[in-house]
Each structure stands twice: as structure tokens, then as C-alpha cells.
Amino acid sequence: MPIDTRVLMAVGIALWMPAPAVAQDIPIPSLLDRGVRGVFGGGDKEREPGAYVSPSAADLVPDAREVGAPSLRSLQRFDPIALPADPGQLRAPSIDLPGLPAYAPQNMPSRDMIRSRATLTLEARLTDDGESIPHGLIWRLFSAIPGLDGRPSLIASSESNIANFEVPTGSYILHVAFGRAGLVRRIDFTGVKTREVVVLDAGGLRLDALVSDGSEIDASKLTFDIYTDAEIESERNLVAGDVPPSKIVRLNAGTYHVVSNYGSINALVRADIRVEAGKVTDATLQHRAALMTMKLVREPGGEALADTAWSVTTASGDIVRQSVGAFPSMVLAEGEYVLIAKNRDKVYQRIFEVQSGHNVDVEVLTSSLSDAPDALIGSGD
């Protein structure tokens, strides 16, 4: 098979020139791209084009030895590997650490967690010789050590008549509530099964009210406010408000200031009442007031006029109540009042008297014109 003359010339030049020149000047990729058949004669198949290097860019190709590229020549001998002259000894850097204990304590569970906890049983009574309270109790057990916010943390709670707490040994703050009555007590629990009796020293208060003639008062218009006892009114604290009649309020034994409200204007009665421990104290207060119904009519007993504004004042001119309607009702304490009505830019006036227990209709005739100023006429509740 004939060998291409160009191939023979390329091989001869490669053997005649030194190794660096071979790596720089001969386009080796072009020979490899041609394949074996192209080197030794590829038959009648057309030779494929190879890589091309511009003559002007040949000088820009660096020497392989300068850039650290491996040489294309074969190794003639085993070259020694250069080693550092004095590698020295490796040393760890110095680190400043804070003072540490000689040993770390083991995180072992406490004995209170391992062994079974004993039961702390609590029972409440109203008096020392009284019976156990059957219901209505709220037990709260707090830790004696305050938390981060300065308040004791709640450990356990119960609403049964006899509370059973399984807690570890320690000191606790007990709060038991029985209605408005309550007690705070410190308990030191030793871890042994214990049963303690808590004496609340409390009783009950049941309130009601009547008018001076002995007639009953509508329960929907009667409420009571219970305050702590103090000589100065500003120093009294509200214990229970808006208490309906005939309801038993559980209180600690002691004296309380009671305010009875008949209606919502000026009919009220005050009294100091003492509550005995273990007993229900019944107290009935007496009001001197009456329920009054206002009407503006053209004649006595006539139909009430709608869209009427009302104003009730005392004899000295102090406003007691203002309202709007055909016939408003209000509870007033016993005494003398002035009633002013305004309808269609006309003002009417009448003086009337309230007698305790006499619930009546107060009629104002349209013939009773008045020169009262409009400032006394109310615009509604």
C-alpha cells in the first residue's frame, strides 16, 4: 500500500528536531485527528481537516517547562523528588480557655423523682368544730419560691371538697377560696403522707330590702354592694357588687359596709353588718322611696303625649334625672321635687312630693306653662 509522501516528511522532521520543538512546532492534533488509516494510507477516503495554528500566534505559546507542564519526552531515569529541607515539628496553636472544674457533675435525677411521691390531703371547714365543706371550694397550690417575674408559680389546683396533691418535698403557699371567703397559708411538706385541716373562719350573708310601709320591692329594681369596713369611705374596698336579693354571699367573718340600691337614682340605704363564722346572717334593709311614673296630658287622666323630654330636679335646683318618653318611670327617694316637661318647644312645670311606699303617676297638664330654661330639659338617657 503506498505511503503518502507528506506523512514521511512529517515523521522525518519529528525525528530530526529536538523534543521542545516537537511540542511547540508540530501540530500533533492534526495527525491524531486523521486517524491510523490517514497516517499509513487511508485508501480512497478523503482526508478530514485537522487543527490549525496561525503562524503569527506560534510565538505566544509558552514553553512547557516554564508553565510547569509535563514534558512530552520519555523519562530517561528516575528523577528524585524534592523534599523540604527542614519540615520542623507541627505544634498546636495555644488557646486561652476559661477556668473549668476538674470534673463535670453527672446529671442524675433527684431522689424525689425516683421514689414515689406521697400525698398531701387538704380539708376545709368553716369553724374548728364544724363539718367539712361539701362543695364550692377552689384549691390552689403555689411554689414558695417566686419566679422570674417575682410571682409564685402555680403547682397544682383542685375544685373537689377534699384536695389530694402528689407533690415533692418542699414549702408551698396554699390559697383556698370559698365564694368571696378565702385563706392564704404556708405549708411545709416533709414528703410523708399528710392530711391537714384548713379552717376558713367564714360565714354567709343574705340581703333583702323593704319599703317603710312593709311592702315588698320588685327584685329587678334592687341590688346590693358589699364593701370592707373602714371609717373613711375612700378606704373601703368593694368585695361584691350588684348582688341580687336573697342570694347567699360567702364571706370571711367580720364587719362589712352594705349599700342597698333601690332603682338607679338616689334611693339607697347604707348599713354596717357583721358576719358570723359558720352561720348565715340575714339582713333586711328599709327604704323610704317610691316608684313614680311621669305623664304629660291635656286634661287629668288623659292620654300621655309622646316625644316629651323630662327633667327632675330637687327643690334647690339640682338635676336628679333626665329622660325622654311618653311616660318614663323612676324610683325616687322620699322628698319634694320639681318636674319639668318639654314638648314641641313648649315647657311645662309642676312641683310634686314623693312619699315612701306610694307608687303614683305624676301628671303634668299642658295648661301649666313654665318659664324654665331649656338647659333643664333632658335629651334622653
Side-chain angles (χ1 to χ4, degrees):
M1 180 181 296
I3 301 175
D4 194 346
T5 307
R6 291 175 296 178
V7 175
L8 294 177
M9 291 178 64
V11 173
I13 293 173
L15 295 176
W16 176 75
M17 294 184 67
V22 173
Q24 298 178 8
D25 300 337
I26 298 178
I28 299 301
S30 64
L31 296 176
L32 297 178
D33 293 340
R34 296 173 61 183
V36 178
R37 295 182 61 183
V39 175
F40 296 99
D44 55 355
K45 185 178 181 180
E46 185 179 357
R47 179 173 59 86
E48 298 176 357
Y52 171 76
V53 179
S54 175
S56 62
D59 297 337
L60 300 178
V61 179
D63 194 325
R65 290 173 296 180
E66 294 179 358
V67 297
S71 177
L72 296 179
R73 65 182 180 82
S74 59
L75 294 176
Q76 302 297 329
R77 58 189 178 86
F78 295 101
D79 296 333
I81 300 174
L83 298 176
D86 186 11
Q89 296 181 357
L90 298 177
R91 297 181 180 179
S94 60
I95 301 176
D96 295 333
L97 297 177
L100 299 176
Y103 63 92
Q106 297 181 357
N107 188 15
M108 297 294 292
S110 62
R111 290 179 296 176
D112 291 335
M113 297 179 61
I114 297 175
R115 68 188 181 186
S116 60
R117 298 180 179 180
T119 303
L120 173 62
T121 303
L122 300 173
E123 176 187 351
R125 299 178 182 177
L126 294 177
T127 58
D128 292 331
D129 55 353
E131 298 180 355
S132 177
I133 299 176
H135 55 79
L137 293 169
I138 299 178
W139 304 86
R140 295 183 180 92
L141 197 64
F142 297 87
S143 173
I145 302 175
L148 297 177
D149 56 353
R151 298 180 179 179
S153 57
L154 180 64
I155 302 298
S157 63
S158 175
E159 295 185 7
S160 59
N161 58 336
I162 297 179
N164 295 309
F165 297 117
E166 293 184 356
V167 292
T169 303
S171 297
Y172 300 94
I173 303 299
L174 173 65
H175 176 264
V176 54
F178 181 57
R180 301 291 177 174
L183 176 69
V184 178
R185 176 177 173 181
R186 181 186 179 94
I187 294 180
D188 296 323
F189 184 49
T190 60
V192 181
K193 186 175 181 179
T194 307
R195 185 184 184 93
E196 292 196 15
V197 177
V198 179
V199 179
L200 297 180
D201 191 24
L205 177 62
R206 182 164 46 202
L207 299 170
D208 203 349
L210 299 173
V211 291
S212 58
D213 61 352
S215 58
E216 296 182 355
I217 298 176
D218 184 3
S220 63
K221 300 182 182 300
L222 188 61
T223 58
F224 299 90
D225 297 326
I226 303 175
Y227 296 86
T228 57
D229 186 30
E231 294 182 359
I232 303 177
E233 184 176 357
S234 60
E235 296 180 356
R236 296 170 182 164
N237 298 321
L238 180 64
V239 178
D242 295 331
V243 179
S246 302
K247 179 181 179 180
I248 298 178
V249 182
R250 299 158 182 163
L251 301 169
N252 290 103
T255 303
Y256 295 88
H257 184 78
V258 178
V259 178
S260 176
N261 301 282
Y262 180 23
S264 59
I265 302 178
N266 61 352
L268 56 88
V269 178
R270 299 174 180 268
D272 293 332
I273 302 173
R274 180 168 181 78
V275 176
E276 299 290 339
K279 300 179 180 179
V280 176
T281 302
D282 289 300
T284 301
L285 284 72
Q286 189 177 76
H287 282 274
R288 301 189 64 84
L291 178 64
M292 315 302 291
T293 302
M294 317 301 176
K295 293 182 179 181
L296 177 62
V297 295
R298 293 186 175 89
E299 57 185 3
E303 187 71 20
L305 299 180
D307 300 329
T308 303
W310 301 91
S311 179
V312 180
T313 67
T314 61
S316 59
D318 298 328
I319 298 178
V320 177
R321 180 72 170 180
Q322 292 178 333
S323 180
V324 173
F327 37 87
S329 298
M330 59 189 72
V331 177
L332 297 174
E334 192 175 45
E336 189 176 87
Y337 298 90
V338 177
L339 181 61
I340 302 173
K342 180 180 180 181
N343 185 277
R344 295 184 181 181
D345 298 331
K346 293 183 179 180
V347 179
Y348 311 95
Q349 177 176 313
R350 176 188 171 180
I351 299 175
F352 70 99
E353 184 178 358
V354 176
Q355 296 180 359
S356 177
H358 294 277
N359 301 330
V360 297
D361 295 339
V362 180
E363 295 181 348
V364 179
L365 299 177
T366 55
S367 58
S368 304
L369 291 175
S370 172
D371 296 332
D374 293 345
L376 295 178
I377 306 301
S379 59
D381 291 339

